[in-house]
Amino acid sequence: MKKVWIPYLGALALTIAACGPKVTDNKTNTPPPPPPPPTLQVPAVAGMTEAIPMDPSVRMGTLPNGLTYYVKNNGKPEDKVELRLAINAGSVLEDDDQQGLAHFMEHMNFNGTNHFEKNELVDYLQGIGVKFGADLNAYTSFDETVYILPIPSDDPEKLEQGFTIIEDWAGGAKLETDAINDERGVVLEESRTGKGASDRMNKVTIPVQFYNSKYADRLPIGKDEILKNFKPEVLKRFYKDWYRPDLMAVVAVGDLDVAVMEQKIKDHFTKIPKPVNPRKRPVIELPNHPDTKVAIAQDKEATFASVNISYKDKIASTPTLTVGDYRDDLVNGLFSFMINNRLQELTQKPNPPFIFGSSSYGGTVARNKNAYSSFAGSAPDGQLAALKALLEENQRVKLYGFGQAELDRAKQAYGSFFDSYYKDRDKLESSRIVGQYVQSYFSKEAVPSIEWNYNKTMELLPGINVEEVNAKINDYIHDDNRTIVFTGPTTDTPPTEAQVLKVVSEVAATKVAPYEDTEVRESLIEKLPAAGSISKTTSNDKVGTTTYTLSNGATVTIKPTDFKNDEILMSAFSYGGTSLYSDEDAKKTGLANGGLTQAGVAGMSQTDMSKFLTGKLVNVSPRIGSLTESFRGSATPKDLEVMFQLIHLYFTDLNKDDEAFASFISKQKSFIGRMMSDPNTYFSNEINKIRYGSNPRYTGFPTEEKFDEADYDLAYKLYQERFADAGDFHFYLVGNVDKAQVEEFSKKYIASLPGLNSNESYKVNDWREAKGTRKKVVKKGTDDKSSVRINWSYEVPAYSAQENLAVDALGEALTIKIIETLREKEGGIYSGGARGSLRKTPYPAFSFGISFPCGPDNVDKLVDATMNEIDLIKKNGPSEKDLNKVKEGYLLDYKETVKTNRYWLSVLVDADEDKKDINKVLEYEKAVNALTAKDIQDAANKYLTKDYFLAILKPEDK
């Protein structure tokens, strides 16, 4: 069975940002003899053969020509429909002379169709606010191609055009020879961006991972030689064979009557003829093999070492169709949750065997094959140790299974997730819903309603016992049909296949010790100081906020919304940050600050804190930045008190634990040790050394030596100083907040904190980046690829909100021209763009950046073309057409984002930090409508001066 709508919760415990009592290592020298392997004990449950019902609110159908459709009304966001065209064909169906043409065909659907000439499609959609790349997009994978189009639904003409576009994608591509030849350069540039260490290592590992399968020879990007030289007839053959209605589905989800959307599909797609004697669509297999296959790939430009163990099922997978299938998916998910919690615990040790690790059961590259896979990221010389640790954890489960307490926590996590999902069932955005119907078409599985999912999960969870979960390991683990893959940086003594297989055999013969669970205490805070009080309450009726001033001086601002039923977002800040540190202290603590929270709070370790928080959807993260100390967090309404408790503890009771800090340092060193081998990272570092190297606080790129020098004691001491005064903190909560609850928790957990009336501000550094035209060419890497960055950054006399909008619009307008000229006209880039802004703090400043990857031979030509586009905007301003594209994009984005909690949290905090008038956010649409081409032209002339830094990455000399 393939998991489609059962959530994978293994990461839940990994993302909880609170900490907690340390798990002690097992000290038993001789482990007790293991019990016999667990046997499957599935309790008899009625109704297991019952079919999973399709969501009754989804209208499905099949046209006479074989095209399938799914339609669902969904009101969030308003006036928008998400359209998808799903093609049951990808690169694995390519003939030998077509490698890369499934993906090339995807490109061609944007370059001339029955209703849109070359480039007219993107031009039209940008004109109605749909952005190329961000909104309008497509992807090609091994087995499928999917086109993505969000379209306004409140304008009949735009809606009709939207369905016309996907009709053209389905069967109206012109595939003109000139357009094909023009697009070769763009696709080859996309291919160029993917070259490097990963690509080279894939050539070693993929033939092993996809052993004896066509998947190994059909990577979607294809072969450059074919992309350069294929004849148009070869592409047309792929189009004729596989772009046909019986291999297509149209999905429409959004704010529109179902009957209207269904009729649109019938009107536009019934006319596509049914194929006569179509080519058979084969199912590509991932064949079994009777052994363990090992692949080891190293590359001198690789930065990250990984270990992957995959146990492929010997039998073909089947779709999840019945309640019994659904229940089995739940069991698999619970297993993954528990094994991942154990792997996460290993990462908290002083010298962890890997940086992170995960295991799960699910699909593979082949639609009809599942596998149990374990993965870890390690130090370059730590792959064998990481492999051993992964195998040992699987072995531990095989010998002893999981405990009842572990299963209980996993069930709590699942219950909480489904409860939250159910509560927000009428608040889900169409973009989050539409994908499940696309996958339903490919998998042939039903997508039940959220209500069915919730009710059935809550019904089934209590009856799942630990014995049947434990028995899963016997299905997962076997000595055949197994692959082990190592990838990573070049080392002096690379691991060998013999060493890998030796570790496998040794662990299999080892009687590892059983897992030792720890009891979790029942409360976060064992003793609270006396509560404070609310001394003042004010309201802003225009923005919809209420602000409480507490007895210790802290302020708490809330904005209740109905955007989500089960979401509250939190942010808080106080001025100061590391700007109040001496230059020396700032350098000593810069890397140590990131590890402060690894020790946990209130005497609780990260591991036990994760256990305590299981089933609670809450997180809190403190941070010390350059100008502020701050918090970020979120919670469901039922977990809001826990969030307040964590805030209180991060102020008063952050643990100090040398072992936890050592674990953090070890993982960081393992992660960054080879980062400079990556050409782009090296490039960035060289740029930064020139731009910022004269800053007395500049520390450069982290190195292993710098992490060893990180001063934990000093960082902890300064953390306590920065969070000693809660009285000058400003807290913001946005979402489904209850005023009475916030008032109670604010008095109990925040007003009770010390208020010292420090009223600090940040200090402004005297250092400024050098001005003037500067250029740096960096040579790094062996691939024939380059990268260009052009940056402006300097202090300005004053900040202007109006000019900030114009500068941002300048970036949008220039991006349009970069895509038009450098990509579509020159065929010199695959992607690129520009963006800029003005900032108000710590001093008024302007920043603007342009970047794009390209071929080394085209650098000078493309830089000149970019500068020419800047000069044209300076001389003439953007065209009215481009100005309209920018403004329509802003207004369409705003219409959607203004009804999200994250938007309001961002603008409220930003206005407070920068001392801006918050009421101005209500005038955004007015400001956009008032924006003129001259505003953008003036911004270009004023700010895009000769004070820029041009940096170019080129390959090393051969």
Side-chain angles (χ1 to χ4, degrees):
M1 286 155 285
K2 297 273 189 176
K3 276 194 297 183
V4 177
W5 21 257
I6 295 294
Y8 169 55
L9 297 179
L12 183 64
L14 309 185
T15 59
I16 293 171
C19 325
K22 232 173 358 185
V23 176
T24 56
D25 293 333
N26 186 351
K27 302 299 183 183
T28 306
N29 293 322
T30 305
T39 56
L40 186 62
Q41 298 183 31
V42 181
V45 182
M48 291 298 100
T49 59
E50 174 191 337
I52 297 171
M54 190 70 180
D55 183 345
S57 70
V58 177
R59 186 172 297 181
M60 292 178 59
T62 303
L63 301 181
N65 57 14
L67 183 139
T68 302
Y69 63 84
Y70 301 74
V71 179
K72 178 178 171 63
N73 173 266
N74 187 67
K76 189 175 178 68
E78 296 176 0
D79 303 328
K80 184 177 182 180
V81 169
E82 292 284 348
L83 299 178
R84 300 291 186 269
L85 175 67
I87 315 287
N88 187 21
S91 62
V92 79
L93 301 184
E94 295 165 344
D95 297 328
D96 288 344
D97 62 345
Q98 294 174 326
Q99 293 178 63
L101 299 197
H103 172 242
F104 201 103
M105 184 59 236
E106 172 210 311
H107 276 243
M108 291 310 300
N109 258 333
F110 295 85
N111 284 279
T113 60
N114 289 340
H115 295 90
F116 295 91
E117 295 298 328
K118 177 176 167 61
N119 298 330
E120 282 186 2
L121 172 60
V122 173
D123 189 60
Y124 167 75
L125 289 170
Q126 287 177 331
I128 63 171
V130 180
K131 295 179 181 178
F132 183 44
D135 302 317
L136 170 70
N137 216 323
Y139 71 83
T140 302
S141 63
F142 287 104
D143 273 297
E144 66 200 49
T145 305
V146 176
Y147 295 86
I148 300 166
L149 177 62
I151 202 80
S153 62
D154 57 340
D155 185 317
E157 181 181 342
K158 294 175 183 176
L159 180 68
E160 176 65 17
Q161 285 288 64
F163 280 91
T164 298
I165 289 167
I166 57 171
E167 175 194 335
D168 274 5
W169 285 341
K174 290 186 174 180
L175 300 180
E176 296 170 333
T177 298
D178 287 346
I180 290 171
N181 290 333
D182 288 345
E183 195 65 16
R184 292 183 198 267
V186 176
V187 178
L188 285 164
E189 285 304 317
E190 183 176 359
S191 174
R192 188 197 304 272
T193 64
K195 298 189 186 306
S198 294
D199 178 56
R200 290 189 290 271
M201 292 189 293
N202 281 341
K203 288 179 170 62
V204 176
T205 62
I206 283 179
V208 170
Q209 291 174 295
F210 305 161
Y211 175 72
N212 205 23
S213 170
K214 192 177 179 182
Y215 287 109
D217 300 319
R218 290 295 185 271
L219 294 182
I221 196 60
K223 293 182 177 180
D224 286 359
E225 195 61 30
I226 290 177
L227 296 174
K228 291 175 184 176
N229 299 305
F230 74 86
K231 296 184 181 303
E233 291 74 22
V234 179
L235 178 64
K236 291 175 182 177
R237 186 175 79 239
F238 181 89
Y239 185 58
K240 177 179 180 296
D241 284 342
W242 306 119
Y243 273 62
R244 60 188 207 231
D246 60 313
L247 295 179
M248 291 181 179
V250 174
V251 182
V253 177
D255 189 20
L256 195 66
D257 184 78
V258 166
V260 174
M261 289 189 280
E262 182 181 37
Q263 191 59 50
K264 291 281 185 188
I265 291 171
K266 290 179 178 179
D267 291 345
H268 283 271
F269 294 94
T270 302
K271 65 184 77 169
I272 300 175
K274 183 177 182 178
V276 178
N277 297 321
R279 187 173 175 180
K280 183 180 179 181
R281 202 292 189 197
V283 175
I284 308 302
E285 305 285 343
L286 201 56
N288 296 332
H289 49 88
D291 55 356
T292 296
K293 298 198 174 297
V294 178
I296 299 169
Q298 294 193 338
D299 194 278
K300 69 177 185 178
E301 292 180 11
T303 61
F304 180 74
S306 68
V307 175
N308 190 297
I309 317 165
S310 181
Y311 301 85
K312 297 185 290 290
D313 286 353
K314 299 172 204 175
I315 60 174
S317 61
T318 56
T320 298
L321 300 175
T322 68
V323 173
D325 297 337
Y326 184 90
R327 186 181 186 280
D328 194 55
D329 285 347
L330 275 175
V331 174
N332 288 324
L334 293 168
F335 183 104
S336 296
F337 181 89
M338 292 187 284
I339 190 73
N340 284 312
N341 279 349
R342 290 188 178 185
L343 294 174
Q344 170 68 1
E345 288 183 25
L346 290 180
T347 68
Q348 305 303 317
K349 294 182 178 296
N351 292 295
F354 40 70
I355 304 168
F356 61 84
S358 67
S359 292
S360 63
Y361 178 80
T364 65
V365 65
R367 287 177 173 172
N368 62 350
K369 181 75 75 173
N370 283 356
Y372 176 73
S373 298
S374 295
F375 177 84
S378 73
D381 59 356
Q383 289 173 301
L384 289 171
L387 173 66
K388 182 173 182 285
L390 289 175
L391 292 170
E392 284 181 342
E393 289 311 309
N394 287 332
Q395 179 78 345
R396 205 180 316 277
V397 176
K398 189 170 186 177
L399 294 177
Y400 309 104
F402 297 106
Q404 185 62 47
E406 292 179 279
L407 180 60
D408 290 343
R409 289 193 295 269
K411 289 181 178 182
Q412 282 181 335
Y414 264 67
S416 294
F417 175 86
F418 275 97
D419 181 64
S420 182
Y421 197 55
Y422 176 75
K423 287 176 180 175
D424 269 331
R425 63 193 181 279
D426 61 339
K427 304 288 185 177
L428 294 174
E429 295 81 4
S430 296
S431 60
R432 291 182 58 191
I433 297 172
V434 66
Q436 61 190 337
Y437 306 116
V438 172
Q439 292 309 312
S440 172
Y441 171 66
F442 294 135
S443 68
K444 308 308 177 190
E445 297 181 336
V447 181
S449 67
I450 294 174
E451 290 86 350
W452 188 95
N453 264 323
Y454 173 75
N455 290 326
K456 190 57 65 175
T457 300
M458 295 307 174
E459 173 191 325
L460 294 173
L461 272 179
I464 296 174
N465 63 52
V466 72
E467 290 80 14
E468 63 177 305
V469 180
N470 290 340
K472 280 290 181 183
I473 195 71
N474 295 318
D475 297 329
Y476 294 162
I477 304 294
H478 38 81
D479 295 335
D480 57 356
N481 232 24
R482 174 171 55 190
T483 60
I484 300 176
V485 173
F486 284 14
T487 60
T490 302
T491 58
D492 293 336
T493 55
T496 65
E497 180 174 343
Q499 288 174 316
V500 169
L501 294 176
K502 182 181 178 184
V503 170
V504 172
S505 60
E506 287 178 347
V507 171
T510 301
K511 292 181 174 60
V512 295
Y515 172 77
E516 289 191 3
D517 206 352
T518 54
E519 292 187 9
V520 180
R521 78 187 196 201
E522 296 182 358
S523 60
L524 273 175
I525 301 179
E526 297 180 324
K527 185 178 181 181
L528 262 176
S533 61
I534 296 173
S535 59
K536 182 182 178 182
T537 302
T538 58
S539 297
N540 183 328
D541 294 335
K542 289 184 178 180
V543 179
T545 59
T546 300
T547 298
Y548 304 104
T549 301
L550 307 182
S551 52
N552 61 356
T555 62
V556 178
T557 298
I558 63 171
K559 179 176 172 59
T561 71
D562 59 1
F563 307 141
K564 294 285 185 183
N565 297 325
D566 213 37
E567 178 183 82
I568 299 171
L569 304 182
M570 179 276 295
S571 184
F573 76 93
S574 168
Y575 292 123
T578 61
S579 74
L580 302 184
Y581 294 8
S582 68
D583 291 345
E584 182 181 1
D585 287 352
K587 287 184 174 182
K588 287 181 178 179
T589 60
L591 296 178
N593 286 335
L596 288 169
T597 59
Q598 299 300 301
V601 292
M604 303 178 76
S605 72
Q606 281 272 15
T607 296
D608 276 7
M609 199 61 194
S610 294
K611 293 177 182 178
F612 175 87
L613 291 174
T614 298
K616 302 175 180 66
L617 301 181
V618 58
N619 71 83
V620 174
S621 298
R623 179 178 180 271
I624 302 176
S626 58
L627 303 178
T628 63
E629 43 275 348
S630 61
F631 289 99
R632 297 285 289 188
S634 65
T636 62
K638 74 179 179 64
D639 297 319
L640 184 61
E641 183 170 14
V642 178
M643 186 176 77
F644 273 86
Q645 291 174 341
L646 289 169
I647 292 170
H648 183 95
L649 291 172
Y650 277 121
F651 270 109
T652 62
D653 204 3
L654 178 69
N655 295 340
K656 189 170 188 297
D657 186 329
D658 290 332
E659 287 192 356
F661 186 75
S663 176
F664 165 78
I665 293 294
S666 175
K667 287 178 287 189
Q668 295 301 310
K669 288 165 64 176
S670 296
F671 184 74
I672 59 92
R674 299 295 184 90
M675 291 296 287
M676 281 302 145
S677 300
D678 173 59
N680 283 303
T681 304
Y682 182 87
F683 181 44
S684 296
N685 189 52
E686 291 300 300
I687 295 171
N688 290 341
K689 284 194 291 188
I690 296 171
R691 294 185 62 188
Y692 311 120
S694 61
N695 187 334
R697 293 187 167 221
Y698 178 72
T699 58
F701 191 83
T703 63
E704 293 185 49
E705 293 75 22
K706 289 175 182 176
F707 271 110
D708 285 334
E709 295 168 0
D711 194 329
Y712 180 37
D713 292 336
L714 180 61
Y716 184 82
K717 173 179 175 291
L718 294 175
Y719 174 96
Q720 290 181 308
E721 292 179 6
R722 296 312 324 135
F723 288 88
D725 183 6
D728 62 357
F729 268 80
H730 304 241
F731 291 85
Y732 285 88
L733 290 91
V734 178
N736 187 16
V737 293
D738 179 271
K739 286 187 176 183
Q741 273 195 328
V742 172
E743 290 173 6
E744 176 191 351
F745 299 154
S746 295
K747 290 186 287 188
K748 190 173 182 179
Y749 298 110
I750 296 179
S752 61
L753 293 166
L756 307 179
N757 297 314
S758 57
N759 295 318
E760 293 174 316
S761 187
Y762 51 79
K763 289 183 180 179
V764 180
N765 192 334
D766 292 334
W767 179 87
R768 301 291 183 271
E769 185 176 346
K771 300 184 75 172
T773 303
R774 296 168 291 163
K775 180 178 179 179
K776 175 67 176 179
V777 177
V778 177
K779 293 185 177 182
K780 183 72 171 177
T782 57
D783 292 292
D784 190 37
K785 55 196 290 188
S786 285
S787 182
V788 174
R789 301 182 195 178
I790 312 170
N791 291 99
W792 288 258
S793 181
Y794 54 84
E795 186 173 5
V796 297
Y799 171 86
S800 161
Q802 181 181 358
E803 285 195 347
N804 182 43
L805 178 60
V807 167
D808 189 273
L810 172 61
E812 295 286 341
L814 189 54
T815 295
I816 292 171
K817 306 315 292 184
I818 286 172
I819 296 300
E820 284 182 4
T821 303
L822 277 63
R823 174 177 160 133
E824 302 302 334
K825 181 179 177 182
E826 298 290 344
I829 67 170
Y830 168 64
S831 61
R835 61 184 304 173
S837 65
L838 293 173
R839 73 162 189 256
K840 189 174 181 181
T841 56
Y843 53 84
F846 165 76
S847 63
F848 197 90
I850 300 169
S851 64
F852 53 85
C854 64
D857 294 340
N858 287 331
V859 167
D860 292 340
K861 178 179 73 172
L862 297 176
V863 169
D864 289 344
T866 301
M867 291 303 189
N868 183 60
E869 292 298 334
I870 292 173
D871 289 341
L872 289 173
I873 291 178
K874 285 182 175 181
K875 181 180 179 180
N876 305 316
S879 67
E880 284 300 315
K881 189 175 185 180
D882 286 348
L883 174 65
N884 178 66
K885 291 177 181 178
V886 173
K887 293 169 72 169
E888 286 296 318
Y890 281 158
L891 294 173
L892 203 61
D893 284 349
Y894 177 76
K895 184 176 182 179
E896 188 170 334
T897 59
V898 75
K899 294 186 178 180
T900 63
N901 293 325
R902 67 180 183 276
Y903 168 82
W904 280 103
L905 183 68
S906 175
V907 297
L908 287 168
V909 173
D910 179 67
D912 194 0
E913 285 188 351
D914 282 357
K915 304 304 179 189
K916 300 172 185 174
D917 180 1
I918 184 59
N919 293 318
K920 292 292 185 183
V921 303
L922 303 175
E923 301 173 7
Y924 178 78
E925 290 175 299
K926 179 181 177 182
V928 169
N929 287 322
L931 185 68
T932 67
K934 189 174 186 306
D935 292 333
I936 297 174
Q937 180 183 10
D938 290 346
N941 281 297
K942 181 175 180 178
Y943 293 112
L944 296 185
T945 65
K946 298 296 183 182
D947 296 310
Y948 66 84
F949 186 102
L950 169 62
I952 300 167
L953 173 65
K954 290 190 173 184
E956 299 162 16
D957 295 329
K958 296 180 180 179

